[in-house]
Structure formats: C-alpha cells, structure tokens
Amino acid sequence: MSHLRYDGRPPKPATDIAARPEERALARALSRWVLAHGGSAHLAELAARTTLAELGGDTALAPLDADARAALAAEPMVGDGRARTPFVLDGDGRFYFWRNFEHEREVAALVAARLAAEAPLPMAAGELEALFPGGDPARDGAQRAAVAAVGGRRLFVLTGGPGTGKTTTVLRMLLRLQRDGIAARDGIAVAAPTGKAAQRLVQSLRQESARLRDALPADWATHLDALPAGDALTVHRLLAWSPRRNAYLRGPGSPIEAGIVVVDEASMLDLHQLRALLRALRPEATLVLVGDADQLDSVGAGSVLMDLVSVLEAAASPALARLRHSFRADSGLVRVNEAVRAGDATALEAALTAAGDAARLHPVEDAAALSRRLRAWADGLAGDGPPPPLPAEPADAAAAALRALSARQLLCALRDGPFGAEAANAAIERRLRQRWDVPASQDWYPGRVVMVARNDYGARLFNGDLGLCLRGADGELQVWFESPEGGARAFAAAALPEHAAAFALTIHKSQGSEYAHAAVLLPPDPEHRILSRQLLYTGLSRAKQGIEVWGPRASLEAALARAVRRSGGLVARLGEAAP
C-alpha cells in the first residue's frame, strides 16, 4: 500500500456546499421572513446561513468577525441573550437562533447543578472485588474505577469504543447503586435514542446478568432480580413525547419517576433531547450517559456527548470514565480503529498492513467498479442457495438464522445516489433474485432481509430492527425478528410497519450494531461533505473480525483527515458553568 496521505484539497464544510432543494427552500423562507419583519439584508443572509448550519448539525454560526458583529448592533431582532429575541449574538460572536442559545444555556446550568450536588460514596475494596469475580485489574481496571466512582453522583458519563465492556460496566454500576439503596427506593429506567438500541441494551443486561448470577456472592445476586427486564424504552417514550402537542410531557412538573436513568448510545442524543432529559429528571436522580464519544454525532443539532466528554476529561472529573481496553480477540482491528480515532495516517497504514487479510482496500472509483464489487458481494450472500424451509418447531431455527445475519454487512456512507445504500440494496436484490430464480413479480422470498423504519409499539417492532423472510414447514412465507427475550417471532409481511431492504445499511443506521465482517462503501468524490473521521471510525468499528473499504484511496484519506467539530458554544458554557 502507498503511504496514507491526502494531497488534494480538504473536504468542504457542509455550509460551503449546495444544500438539498428542500433545505435551500427553508433557508429562503426564513430570509424572506426576516426582511418582512424589518430586518436588514445582512441579517436575512445570516438567518439563511444559520438555517443551513443547523440542518448540518451546528447549533450556531462560527464566531463572526468584528465588522459582521458591528453591522448587527442596530438590529432589533438580535439580542445578547438577556431578553428573548429571534436571534442571539453572544459575547464570543456566535450567532444563534434563540432556541439553540437557550438549549445550550440550560443544559450547561443543569449539568453544573448535577455536578455540584454530588456526594461521592466510598466503596470497600472487597465489595468492588466481588462484582468482578475472576477479573484482572490490569484489563478491567477502568471498569472497576467507573463502578467505584458512580456512587453518590447525580451525573456520570461512561464512554469507550466497541468491545471495551460498556454494558458489563453498566450492569455492575446498577448493582452497586442498588446496594447504595437508590434503585430499591425509586427504580431504574434504561433507554436509548432508538428502539433497536434500547432493546439491545435490555437484552445485553439480561444476558450479562445470567452469566454473572452464579459467580456473585448471594448478597449481591439478589440485586440482579431488580434490574430492568421488560420492554425497551426509547428516549421519546421515556420523556412521553406527544406528537399532538409536538412536545415532551415529562418535565419539572411531571418528572421521570426512576431514581436511576441510564441512556445508552448517547452520541445519538441531540441538544434538544439532552435538555429535555435533564429537565425531566428528579433532582435526586442519578443519570448515567453511555456511548462512544468518537462515533458520529446525532442527526439533530449538537454534539452533546463529545462536548460533555471533552469538558469532563479536560477537568479530570471523576464523573467521567473512559474505557480503553478492548476485550475483542482480534487486536489487529483494534489498532485500525485506534489509528482512525486519532486521525493518524502513519499508524493506520501500519495497522492495515499488520491486519493482513482481515483488512482490505478495494479501490472502487466509478459505477462500473462498484457494480463488479456488489455482484461479488451478492454472490457471497447467495452461497449455497436461499435458506431452507423451517422445521415444524421453527423458533430456534429462525433465531439461528437471524443471528447469522451479523456474519457480514455492507455499510454505506450515503443513503441516496449511485453509491448509496438504496442503490446498493437494489443491485444486491437483483443479483440474489437471479441466483435464486425468484420471479420479478414476487416481493417476498426466503432470504430477503429488511429493516423496520418506524416504531410499532403494539407489535414491539422498532426502527432499526432487522427481519428475515423464511418459509415455514407449511410453505407459507413469514418475516422473523428477534424477540425482546432473545428468541424469534414471526409476522406476516402485510402486518409489518414501514420497512426497507437491508442488505446494505447506512453507517448511521448501523450505530450500536456489530458484525463479524463489514464492508464500508465511501463516495468516490474525496471532497464530499459526508466524509469525516467520525464516519470512517463508526463504520470500521462495527467489525469484529474483518473489514473492507470500498472506495478510492483519496476518499479514505480525506475522511481520515477531516475531524468534524460542530459549531456551537456548549463546550464554552459547560466550562463556565461547571464547578
């Protein structure tokens, strides 16, 4: 391999690239609103730019220069934040919509209040040792430190990459907090931004509880029975989102009842959601945020987990624990992920070389090359033919078939366009139909994989759930999903909520999932705004045994070189407010 260095121009920031038509239309509408209400052309332009920036994830425009600030001095719609105005220009020159300014200010104040209210409770060495039977402090020392530190705190942040043991640490933290009497008094709530991620958390806690039960002393094992074992909660359900009111019903006047609230995959939380969550907690409750701060940020505005981690880490706060040791067997991929996380091109080149066949780069540079690669990928999926019919007692066989889906997955940086997940899905399905002799008129066939796109709480199917079409012993086709209890359950295809083919997923949709082997498809244009170090890290870190990168070397190098930092003032406000 040639040395990893990107010699082209750096990727353009999102606000410098033409937005989608609907985004431009929204920006123009706000610009016209400003002009209609007496604002200047300069303010109208800033409002339009702020709209596009927010759609790209920023909570504010980067600090304006002195001339731009001076030009806003006479604008009645622009204030300094002391009184409500449509727009805010803060003391550092950041330009906001009022709502984002207020969200940042309140999040910082609520976080500061929680940090100030902590009253750390010591934990005896013997008690800590009992929670890690057969463990090795050289490997699980950071996990032990997190369990020891969480007691008595009102806010705790646990971050770490895949395979570092976040879920096992959360389980022990919950046991410890129960021992402190918090959970027994007020209960536990666990949630995640998506239904699939919440379900995975509950399943992981249940599986780790079963593994740990026989190894714990009896006085600790009794606390396992109080752990959450019911349906998973999305953050929207936890906060009682009301579509009719377009608001969360939980808040200071109707708080979340639990004394311990755990939110997994917290990198998916946006600024508005974190504010709503903090407002809905009882003052004495303990909030534990769990996630990988180096993953992609939320779809909405803000990068709240990254911002919290950076501030707490800079202050060496005991309210933060970062897990670094990976318990995965394939250390070669761990080195690849670490090199990407650090943006170290030399280390990545060395890690890719050392990984050998476990890491491959396919220089897919045009549509013809992609077509060949997708054909080969689909032929690999076709394998020995479509899945055979299920036996008369189908649940176990269906569950095994669903688990096998994690053996390999194609992940795409884009959703739309010739290099997007939708086009890749169509190409793979065409090839599978050819190989398996499926008529074009037949929508469903054994081996078809779909992903739920809309939560259906009645059916307990959530956005992100994977389903597999299988033929029963009676010849009927049904779509099987993992059950919350770890088995499998079937649905008629006509009964499914909104869904789409899932032979290829976007990297965004893959967050929280793991696969034995993953291929990551990058766009051929190294200046594409989607490319970033966080995107590359999120995609590659889904794999446990083998990775492929499909795309020009220039796109890989451009993604590595671009560490996206969303524009906003939350880090500064947290730094000012935190004790």
Side-chain angles (χ1 to χ4, degrees):
M1 294 183 182
S2 62
H3 196 61
L4 276 169
R5 282 289 183 266
Y6 175 53
D7 297 322
R9 290 173 293 170
K12 296 177 182 178
T15 51
D16 289 343
I17 298 177
R20 298 185 182 93
E22 62 272 20
E23 295 174 345
R24 292 197 300 270
L26 182 61
R28 287 195 298 269
L30 186 60
S31 178
R32 289 194 294 268
W33 181 89
V34 169
L35 294 172
H37 287 78
S40 67
H42 175 56
L43 180 58
E45 178 191 357
L46 282 178
R49 286 175 53 199
T50 305
T51 300
L52 296 178
E54 184 182 51
L55 291 169
D58 298 329
T59 57
L61 287 185
L64 307 180
D65 60 31
D67 290 341
R69 297 186 205 185
L72 295 172
E75 297 278 359
M77 284 191 284
V78 181
D80 60 6
R82 286 180 290 183
R84 181 162 187 154
T85 51
F87 307 100
V88 174
L89 182 66
D90 74 3
D92 294 318
R94 286 179 288 260
F95 185 81
Y96 289 86
F97 293 130
W98 169 264
R99 64 173 178 275
N100 286 332
F101 176 79
E102 183 63 12
H103 289 346
E104 281 189 359
R105 183 163 60 181
E106 188 165 5
V107 165
L110 291 169
V111 166
R114 292 198 158 269
L115 293 175
E118 63 189 20
L121 296 175
M123 189 177 188
E127 289 191 323
L128 187 61
E129 189 69 30
L131 285 176
F132 290 86
D136 178 5
R139 303 172 72 230
D140 58 27
Q143 295 180 330
R144 295 174 186 236
V147 175
V150 73
R153 302 198 185 278
R154 298 293 175 262
L155 172 67
F156 195 86
V157 179
L158 179 69
T159 189
T164 55
K166 294 189 293 294
T167 301
T168 61
T169 305
V170 168
L171 175 66
R172 288 159 173 81
M173 292 167 73
L174 291 176
L175 291 175
R176 185 262 158 95
L177 291 172
Q178 287 189 83
R179 183 83 154 200
D180 294 342
I182 298 175
R185 183 175 65 247
D186 300 315
I188 302 170
V190 297
T194 68
K196 180 63 174 176
Q199 185 177 333
R200 274 195 302 268
L201 175 61
V202 171
Q203 286 179 340
S204 297
L205 289 173
R206 186 184 297 116
Q207 292 165 1
E208 181 64 13
S209 296
R211 191 190 68 80
L212 193 60
R213 182 175 294 276
D214 293 337
L216 284 175
D219 57 335
W220 277 105
T222 56
H223 295 304
L224 289 171
D225 297 328
L227 293 178
D231 287 348
L233 286 175
T234 62
V235 172
H236 272 62
R237 285 189 75 189
L238 179 70
L239 297 174
W241 171 256
S242 170
R244 184 173 62 84
R245 298 187 186 182
N246 193 32
Y248 296 111
L249 301 184
R250 293 292 187 186
S254 179
I256 299 168
E257 296 178 357
I260 303 170
V261 177
V262 179
V263 177
D264 196 14
E265 298 295 343
S267 63
M268 298 184 193
L269 289 174
D270 61 31
L271 180 65
H272 176 230
Q273 288 173 320
L274 181 60
R275 174 180 179 258
L277 177 62
L278 290 168
R279 293 182 78 246
L281 294 170
R282 293 155 63 174
E284 69 277 11
T286 296
L287 173 64
V288 179
L289 296 176
V290 185
D292 187 345
D294 298 306
Q295 282 193 170
L296 283 166
D297 291 318
S298 62
V299 175
S303 50
V304 295
L305 183 64
M306 182 189 295
D307 292 347
L308 275 170
V309 168
S310 65
V311 170
L312 295 175
E313 206 158 39
S317 172
L320 169 72
R322 184 186 282 274
L323 306 181
R324 299 185 184 277
H325 177 80
S326 176
F327 293 89
R328 287 180 172 174
D330 195 327
S331 60
L333 295 189
V334 172
R335 288 194 292 271
V336 169
N337 294 335
E338 282 300 303
V340 173
R341 189 179 70 82
D344 189 330
T346 302
L348 178 57
E349 182 70 34
L352 290 171
T353 301
D357 289 342
R360 296 184 176 183
L361 175 62
H362 298 284
V364 176
E365 298 185 352
D366 53 35
L370 176 59
S371 179
R372 292 191 296 271
R373 180 53 44 196
L374 287 171
R375 183 184 180 95
W377 183 267
D379 285 344
L381 293 177
D384 299 324
L390 293 170
E393 297 293 333
D396 290 345
L402 284 165
R403 289 193 295 271
L405 292 179
S406 65
R408 54 190 290 156
Q409 182 65 55
L410 174 59
L411 306 176
C412 305
L414 302 172
R415 184 190 65 182
D416 304 318
F419 277 71
E422 291 185 358
N425 270 308
I428 292 171
E429 283 213 85
R430 281 195 302 270
R431 182 60 176 167
L432 288 178
R433 287 175 178 274
Q434 291 174 1
R435 290 288 306 272
W436 292 344
D437 296 322
V438 179
S441 59
Q442 186 175 327
D443 291 336
W444 291 95
Y445 52 89
R448 188 181 188 217
V449 184
V450 296
M451 175 176 277
V452 173
R454 179 177 52 80
N455 293 337
D456 184 334
Y457 294 108
R460 294 193 299 173
L461 290 175
F462 302 107
N463 184 5
D465 282 352
L466 283 179
L468 175 63
C469 182
L470 297 170
R471 191 179 300 280
D474 58 1
E476 293 296 318
L477 291 175
Q478 289 183 301
V479 186
W480 289 80
F481 292 83
E482 289 186 10
S483 68
E485 295 75 28
R489 56 208 176 101
F491 294 83
L496 296 183
E498 182 183 346
H499 58 276
F503 294 106
L505 304 176
T506 63
I507 295 175
H508 271 92
K509 283 285 189 181
S510 75
Q511 289 190 79
S513 298
E514 292 184 341
Y515 312 99
H517 186 96
V520 176
L521 173 60
L522 301 177
D525 178 9
E527 293 190 37
H528 198 291
R529 67 177 183 175
I530 196 72
L531 291 172
S532 71
R533 189 180 304 166
Q534 290 94 329
L535 177 94
L536 184 62
Y537 171 82
T538 302
L540 295 180
S541 63
R542 299 308 92 205
K544 296 189 288 187
Q545 298 173 13
I547 54 172
E548 299 177 28
V549 178
W550 299 3
R553 181 172 290 273
S555 293
L556 172 63
E557 294 163 358
L560 183 69
R562 183 187 180 204
V564 174
R565 187 76 191 189
R566 290 181 166 179
S567 180
L570 183 59
V571 168
R573 297 188 207 293
L574 286 168
E576 294 166 358

